[in-house]
Amino acid sequence: MSVKKDKKPRANNWRFIRTMWLFFMTGVCLLILMFVSASIGLLGEMPDYTRLENPQTNLATEIISSDGKTIGKFYFEDNRTLMGFDELPNHLVDALIATEDVRFRNHSGIDVRGTLRATMYLGSRGGASTITQQLAKQFFTGLVAKNKFERALQKIKEWVIAIRIERQYTKEEIIAMYFNIYDFGNNADGIRSASRIYFGKEPKDLKIEESAMLVGMFKNSSLYNPLPNRNPEGTKKRRDVVLSQTAKYGFIDDDLKDSLIALPITLKYSPESHQQGPAAYFREYLRAYLKDWTNLESSKKPDGSSYDIYSDGLRVYTTIDSRMQQYAEEAVDEHMPRLQEEFFVQNTLKRNPTAPFIDLDKNEIQGLMNTSMRRSERWRVMKKNGSSDDEILKAFNEPIPMSIFSWQGEIDTIMTPLDSMRYYKSFLRTSIMSMEPQTGHVKAWVGGINYKHFKYDMVNQGRRQVGSTFKPFLYATAIDQLQLSPCDSIPDTQITIEANKYNNPRPWTPKNSGGKYGQTYTYKAALANSVNTISAKLIDRVGPQPVIDLARKLGITAELPVVPSICLGTPDISLFEMVGAYSTFANKGIYTEPVMVLRIEDKNGTILFQNTPNTKDVLSEETAYVTVKLMEGVTDSGSGVRLRTVGADKYTPYYKEIITGYPYQFSNPIAGKTGTTQNQSDGWFMGMVPNLTTGVWVGGEDRATHFRTITYGQGASMALPIWGIFMKKCYNDNSLSISKEEFEVPINLRITVDCNTNNIESNDSNSGDSLLDFDF
């Protein structure tokens, strides 16, 4: 009886075992079926191998300086630049593996142990997604599923894609793709942008604790964002978890981990946007340049379509030197606030009821403001949207909240757009451009004082009256035609050029600033002190047309009236053209067209464009050299002498701090020319050393915005200090190799250039830069 009782339980056990195996095999078959269905696309679109090899990510166009630094990017949505695995530091990769997928190098896309653990503990002890699965999720599936069923299907797709990725790519390539695809917030798409934006450095230069912070952001870049107004405490805790994981798996020791955890998070937040960062004005110029380039037939893709500068990952190699660009921007930031402070002192409403304008009546000011309104972007947009003139005028007079510029930082205020326009017109503007004469390479480009608030580029877009900086073109013409020597003498007496001569509409008698005459000058001294009457005598001898012809050969395209007064610099010319023209003198008479772009590559490194220099012979080497020697007199003992001397600084009475002497004290050869226009509306300084030509302009948006007297309004006070500060910084950087040598003497020099300097007298506060009594 007992034997019979045992048979029934055994039968039940076998049935249970068979049932369990049946369920298990059914589950396995269903799982295999699901994988196969997902693989062939029955569960939704799956990427093919071509798409896996070329994942569809938007890549920003990268702007690269001549010294290999990224100075900006162009992008709409994704500020992403791809990095190779070998460009990532080991501690960054170690931190990722330790935190996200410690068995990454041992699995084939799916971590079975991690999956079983997550299933048994329902995710309470961590998830099971591998780095490869997370990459699959980033590339090919949405981050958020609508329901649990969709999430389950999504998970299956991730597994299939992860296995494909593991078969298609090496582990190193997968790591690099994962770092490149992630969005770290604040326009930091990918590890390259994140490293630059949060720490101001390339990924290879990251410290261990910095790498840990960025890896910590993979969990949630919005929640664990290090910016002060976000979640700094949570971000540090998350960083410390990453450091602990890195130590737990032996990538760093515990002592190092403890010392790093004790450190605070130190950021160097450097946002990368179109309105911020280095060389903003140049980058905006470059944007227009690239758009024009993409429209050329010779610049099309193989399929005939145009490149997209915002998503095709172009690499644009420019001539800009990041160091010199920084020094140029610093020079503006150091000089212009002080100059502006003095301008505000002289233009209080008590001292000048029409501030910031001088010598304008109420109707003239109203006309000026009306013209500015109609030229403004606000007017254009409202007009485009169908607003009437009356509606637009009303909007210009309604107070609204806004952030306005000041040299102490942005100010949040409530102001009418019309009042803000008048406020901005009170600020003096500036531009600086620096170029290598021999190559035409533009090394620095600053088009204004702040691109966000003053977008008009005064390097290339703006044209202003050039004053006495035009005179070297006259002297070069005279040297070429008449073989004049800088040492030849000429009396400073008044001259009248009669009506109808050289298209002169009426008799023209130019005057010197200060009204002094009777002295005898060498030509070198005459140019050094910008003596207007001697310039008039030269134009009377050579005629306006040859001077204009020379200017055209020097790259100047501005309107140049064929009248004698052109010798005093009446034309409006851009700084861009002036620097190119002056560089010809330093380059032995050879004009080299300014170059900004060296080459353009696609994302794979294929060269799409290579610059070819455009040069032409304009002057003989002798004429160019003699003109340079003439301009050396400007800085040796003329209107630019403050580059050499130490003396009482003219700004001192108005500064809150005492500044003793001029801080430049250059002893090397410098050829240059100051320029000051009618009523001190524009101040210029053009300066050259053998391998660098740099020009500076300072003035108001409107010519009615200017200093009342020449003490502050001359080029030597407004523009020359920026040149001096910039060059001082360049010379202090030995890696730049800016020349301090003499200009090279031509082999067959026949004209005498070594003069007795006793006759060259400096009259800095009474220079003849200003345009007085000219007619068109």
Side-chain angles (χ1 to χ4, degrees), residues 150-410:
E150 285 190 5
R151 178 58 190 142
L153 291 180
Q154 184 184 46
K155 199 69 176 176
I156 292 171
K157 291 180 183 180
E158 289 175 15
W159 285 345
V160 173
I161 296 169
I163 292 172
R164 288 186 178 182
I165 291 175
E166 289 277 353
R167 290 176 178 174
Q168 193 75 10
Y169 298 101
T170 66
K171 291 289 186 179
E172 288 75 17
E173 289 172 330
I174 292 170
I175 288 286
M177 284 192 290
Y178 187 58
F179 274 115
N180 284 326
I181 199 65
Y182 192 73
D183 180 359
F184 291 85
N186 298 303
N187 291 326
D189 299 303
I191 190 64
R192 173 87 185 286
S193 294
S195 178
R196 288 171 53 83
I197 287 174
Y198 291 116
F199 297 109
K201 59 179 67 173
E202 296 295 323
K204 64 182 177 62
D205 300 318
L206 288 170
K207 298 178 181 178
I208 295 176
E209 66 273 18
E210 294 169 342
S211 292
M213 191 212 81
L214 293 175
V215 168
M217 295 179 73
F218 278 113
K219 187 171 184 179
N220 187 323
S221 61
S222 179
L223 178 61
Y224 299 111
N225 193 289
L227 296 187
N229 61 342
R230 301 293 288 275
N231 182 19
E233 292 184 8
T235 302
K236 183 181 184 303
K237 289 180 181 178
R238 179 62 186 164
R239 181 206 68 175
D240 295 345
V241 168
V242 174
L243 290 171
S244 296
Q245 288 292 104
T246 307
K248 176 181 177 180
Y249 292 107
F251 292 108
I252 61 174
D253 59 43
D254 288 334
D255 289 340
L256 179 57
K257 176 204 71 175
D258 293 339
S259 65
L260 295 176
I261 286 178
L263 296 175
I265 290 179
T266 303
L267 300 179
K268 185 181 179 183
Y269 184 56
S270 308
E272 291 186 347
S273 71
H274 303 309
Q275 298 192 97
Q276 296 172 297
Y281 291 92
F282 171 76
R283 286 187 280 116
E284 191 57 32
Y285 161 82
L286 187 62
R287 185 203 304 272
Y289 175 96
L290 290 174
K291 285 184 176 179
D292 290 341
W293 174 80
T294 59
N295 290 327
L296 297 175
E297 284 300 320
S298 59
S299 304
K300 301 294 184 182
K301 295 180 182 179
D303 62 4
S305 62
S306 298
Y307 283 97
D308 189 330
I309 67 172
Y310 301 107
S311 61
D312 280 338
L314 301 176
R315 293 170 66 86
V316 183
Y317 291 85
T318 71
T319 61
I320 296 293
D321 187 290
S322 67
R323 298 158 295 183
M324 296 176 72
Q325 180 67 33
Q326 177 184 339
Y327 301 151
E329 293 177 4
E330 288 175 353
V332 168
D333 291 343
E334 288 179 26
H335 175 67
M336 290 305 294
R338 300 188 301 171
L339 190 67
Q340 187 67 48
E341 183 178 350
E342 173 57 32
F343 184 79
F344 283 148
V345 167
Q346 296 187 23
N347 278 274
T348 62
L349 289 177
K350 183 177 180 181
R351 294 184 177 186
N352 179 22
T354 60
F357 312 113
I358 294 179
D359 298 329
L360 293 187
D361 60 31
K362 183 177 180 180
N363 291 333
E364 289 172 325
I365 293 174
Q366 185 62 50
L368 187 153
M369 296 303 297
N370 286 339
T371 300
S372 297
M373 274 194 293
R374 292 177 181 275
R375 291 177 177 174
S376 69
E377 182 69 8
R378 181 186 296 272
W379 186 286
R380 186 191 68 80
V381 171
M382 293 186 70
K383 199 69 176 176
K384 183 179 179 181
N385 292 334
S387 300
S388 67
D389 288 1
D390 289 341
E391 289 172 330
I392 299 175
L393 288 172
K394 182 180 178 181
F396 266 90
N397 285 279
E398 290 180 352
I400 57 174
M402 63 177 69
S403 293
I404 59 174
F405 170 82
S406 82
W407 277 112
Q408 290 72 43
E410 287 190 345

Side-chain angles (χ1 to χ4, degrees), residues 571-684:
D572 291 351
I573 304 175
S574 71
L575 179 66
F576 180 86
E577 291 185 350
M578 289 296 287
V579 172
Y582 266 68
S583 292
T584 306
F585 300 124
N587 194 31
K588 303 179 181 180
I590 300 173
Y591 171 76
T592 302
E593 185 177 342
V595 177
M596 284 69 70
V597 176
L598 294 173
R599 70 182 186 277
I600 302 172
E601 296 179 356
D602 67 11
K603 64 181 180 182
N604 299 314
T606 302
I607 296 178
L608 306 175
F609 167 80
Q610 187 87 42
N611 176 267
T612 302
N614 184 12
T615 64
K616 60 182 176 182
D617 290 336
V618 174
L619 294 167
S620 68
E621 185 175 348
E622 181 182 47
T623 298
Y625 179 75
V626 173
T627 306
V628 166
K629 297 303 288 184
L630 275 169
M631 287 191 281
E632 283 186 2
V634 173
T635 64
D636 287 339
S637 52
S639 57
V641 73
R642 64 182 65 190
L643 290 173
R644 308 288 189 191
T645 60
V646 177
D649 196 312
K650 292 182 178 180
Y651 295 162
T652 301
Y654 300 94
Y655 283 175
K656 295 178 181 178
E657 58 182 350
I658 301 299
I659 301 175
T660 56
Y662 304 125
Y664 319 118
Q665 303 181 54
F666 297 115
S667 58
N668 56 291
I670 299 171
K673 188 71 192 78
T674 57
T676 309
T677 64
Q678 188 81 349
N679 295 325
Q680 301 79 237
S681 294
D682 304 275
W684 293 78

